[in-house]
Amino acid sequence: ITPEEILLNAETYAGYVRGLSTIFQLIVSRHDHTSESDVYFIQGVPLTIYDEPLLRHRGVMIDISRHFLSLDHLKEIIDSMMVTKLNVIHLHLSDSDSFPIWIKSNPNITKYGAFDERKIYYPSDIAELIRYATTRAIRVIPDLPGPSKTRSWAAAPEFNDVLICRNERTCDYPFCGHINPYNEKALGISDILLSEIQDLFPDEVVHLGGGEIDGNCWQRSPEVNGKNPNQAVSMFQMRRRRQLRSGKRAMIKSDSSYKGVAGDIIHGIRTRDTIPVGRYFVASSPFPFELYCGFGNAEGSEVLWCDPLKTWKDIYNYDLRQYLNNPMFLGVEATLYGDMNSEATTHVKLWPRLYALAELGWTTSRSARNLRNVVERMVHFVEQLEALGFEKTTITSTYCCLLYTSDAADDLLCVDLGGRRIIKKK
């Protein structure tokens, strides 16, 4: 970067897009009181930057089942992800609440499974979204969990006999309504859905879910009582894994009894989890990457299992060193389940906390991860989001933000580093 030109070299299209994001991040705006106009510039020119990501997978899971999110809203999420060099949007397509994906071979699945006819993603919508993401070098991974969280698969009258615990309210919300993995009609529905999801989403990865079987529901259901639920999950998931087409691989929740085959990906790995030989893994839920915690639950309870709210600092301080030397470690992913999220709150819950995850997945540089420098960059990022028209929460108070966008920032530190003091003289 010189005063005369900006020259960008990249080995891949994705590298080119990341380079554009770097340039955008460098741009600073200030209001010139003499001309009463905004001035845009890059500080420190001339600059030479060599950059590459630390991790291959830097993503976020967005739930589009519990609350429907419009195509335009999803595009806004993708735009904001591009600015921070995130490269994976993982769409949680269905849950017990709704099934919003149009299934052409059996439209009743969607007609009865979606909230209403206005809250459906048609094949043209999916294709448009994938084109939009691909242009921004972002992958779109579909998530079709099962056999739990599948009440919406069988909402049509002709499928009344494929669920266990269909209408019960005695299990943990919203897991009532599991398809019976021993029912041939239920397996047929699963086959249809997985086949069409692969038609719609070209990415090499399909998330198969696999966790959270409700034990009480299982024991009270004569269709499955006496059978081992973990074995049932494994049987169901093995069938679905065999249905994945050549070149595809599965992503599977870490709490699933089924762990896939060599080359598959375990999602949500925790320190205590054992990684099966030959499986890749992504660090995700639980702590501290759950962006939906701290807001209560859908039944009005004050406490959620993953409370309290996770701050940007919780995410930024997550220690990845335990994984970095493992060649099977792919990256990190935040999760935003939709029980208490809608279009009115998505950006506020994502930003700027997701910025912390983006940096966590991009660099391990100690100088880059100095908390004072982090806050300066995040204040600048929040300003850029505002300029782009995105909603967000603030990183700190307005007083502190002003310090970081003025010469006074050299004399004052406006971040809690020791738990005792917010602002102090250097």
Side-chain angles (χ1 to χ4, degrees):
I1 301 175
T2 70
E4 292 76 31
E5 67 176 358
I6 297 175
L7 180 62
L8 172 60
N9 292 316
E11 294 182 0
T12 64
Y13 175 74
Y16 172 75
V17 174
R18 305 294 170 246
L20 292 177
S21 297
T22 295
I23 293 168
F24 179 78
Q25 290 173 352
L26 292 172
I27 297 173
V28 177
S29 66
R30 292 289 183 269
H31 185 73
D32 181 56
H33 293 285
T34 302
S35 63
E36 290 299 322
S37 62
D38 292 330
V39 178
Y40 299 87
F41 58 94
I42 294 177
Q43 296 175 316
V45 173
L47 292 172
T48 300
I49 300 172
Y50 298 95
D51 205 7
E52 62 180 352
L54 172 69
L55 303 177
R56 286 173 279 175
H57 185 114
R58 307 176 306 280
V60 60
M61 186 281 288
I62 302 293
D63 185 346
I64 59 174
S65 169
R66 292 183 174 95
H67 280 90
F68 183 85
L69 303 178
S70 69
L71 200 61
D72 286 342
H73 191 69
L74 293 173
K75 288 179 179 179
E76 289 178 357
I77 295 171
I78 289 169
D79 283 337
S80 57
M81 290 174 64
M82 182 184 72
V83 173
T84 54
K85 306 178 189 175
L86 293 169
N87 69 339
V88 176
I89 183 168
H90 161 184
L91 295 180
H92 188 72
L93 301 181
S94 75
D95 216 289
S96 286
D97 301 64
S98 82
F99 188 89
I101 309 300
W102 183 258
I103 299 300
K104 63 181 180 180
S105 61
N106 196 323
N108 269 4
I109 293 175
T110 313
K111 287 179 179 178
Y112 287 90
F115 288 127
D116 61 52
E117 66 276 5
R118 299 166 299 171
K119 296 178 179 179
I120 293 172
Y121 302 100
Y122 291 93
S124 59
D125 298 323
I126 300 297
E128 181 180 345
L129 184 68
I130 291 172
R131 283 194 300 270
Y132 196 87
T134 302
T135 303
R136 288 150 183 79
I138 292 173
R139 297 167 53 203
V140 183
I141 293 179
D143 179 350
L144 189 68
S148 62
K149 302 185 177 183
T150 48
R151 184 200 61 81
S152 63
W153 293 14
E158 61 265 37
F159 300 137
N160 280 333
D161 56 343
V162 306
L163 290 179
I164 56 176
C165 308
R166 171 185 283 273
N167 295 313
E168 292 191 22
R169 296 287 298 171
T170 52
C171 53
D172 293 338
Y173 177 87
F175 306 134
C176 285
H178 302 338
I179 67 167
N180 179 357
Y182 295 98
N183 182 295
E184 285 300 320
K185 188 189 293 186
L187 295 176
I189 296 172
S190 174
D191 292 347
I192 289 171
L193 298 184
L194 189 53
S195 176
E196 293 209 20
I197 291 303
Q198 291 182 84
D199 291 340
L200 292 170
F201 293 88
D203 195 86
E204 66 169 348
V205 173
V206 178
H207 199 301
L208 299 180
E212 299 172 338
I213 283 285
D214 186 88
N216 292 328
C217 161
W218 193 267
Q219 293 171 7
R220 291 191 308 275
S221 301
E223 303 96 327
V224 296
N225 191 15
K227 296 181 171 66
N228 186 303
N230 288 333
Q231 290 178 358
V233 170
S234 294
M235 176 192 71
F236 179 81
Q237 294 290 60
M238 287 174 65
R239 176 189 176 104
R240 295 213 295 169
R241 180 61 185 84
R242 288 193 298 269
Q243 194 185 352
L244 292 185
R245 296 166 189 165
S246 176
K248 296 278 189 181
R249 53 180 173 160
M251 182 178 277
I252 300 164
K253 289 189 67 175
S254 61
D255 59 351
S256 173
S257 56
Y258 177 67
K259 302 299 184 183
V261 302
D264 287 345
I265 304 166
I266 305 299
H267 177 240
I269 200 69
R270 297 156 292 189
T271 303
R272 66 175 182 269
D273 290 328
T274 300
I275 309 295
V277 175
R279 277 46 159 201
Y280 294 91
F281 63 99
V282 171
S284 185
S285 171
F287 317 126
F289 301 141
E290 289 141 332
L291 304 182
Y292 59 97
C293 304
F295 299 94
N297 68 15
E299 295 182 326
S301 297
E302 295 180 1
V303 179
L304 200 60
W305 71 272
C306 57
D307 284 351
L309 181 141
K310 309 302 182 295
T311 70
W312 65 266
K313 196 187 296 184
D314 293 326
I315 297 171
Y316 211 89
N317 286 335
Y318 187 79
D319 190 357
L320 290 177
R321 289 177 296 179
Q322 58 188 312
Y323 305 131
L324 289 179
N325 292 326
N326 190 328
M328 309 305 283
F329 177 50
L330 295 179
V332 290
E333 184 175 293
T335 55
L336 183 57
Y337 284 104
D339 306 61
M340 298 297 292
N341 182 65
S342 67
E343 291 194 4
T345 57
T346 301
H347 291 306
V348 172
K349 289 181 178 178
L350 290 180
W351 307 109
R353 291 187 294 168
L354 200 53
Y355 177 93
L357 183 107
E359 281 211 2
L360 188 69
W362 190 266
T363 181
T364 56
S365 167
R366 289 190 176 274
S367 60
R369 299 193 66 192
N370 175 282
L371 279 182
R372 184 189 188 285
N373 295 335
V374 172
V375 175
E376 288 181 359
R377 290 194 299 275
M378 293 183 76
V379 168
H380 177 55
F381 170 71
V382 167
E383 287 183 342
Q384 289 183 314
L385 279 186
E386 186 172 5
L388 292 172
F390 296 128
E391 297 293 330
K392 81 288 176 203
T393 52
T394 185
I395 178 65
T396 183
S397 69
T398 300
Y399 179 77
C400 293
C401 288
L402 289 172
L403 292 177
Y404 279 111
T405 55
S406 69
D407 294 337
D410 293 332
D411 300 317
L412 287 155
L413 187 62
C414 198
V415 58
D416 181 5
L417 298 180
R420 296 184 300 276
R421 185 177 297 179
I422 299 278
I423 304 174
K424 64 179 181 180
K425 286 283 184 180
K426 289 174 59 180

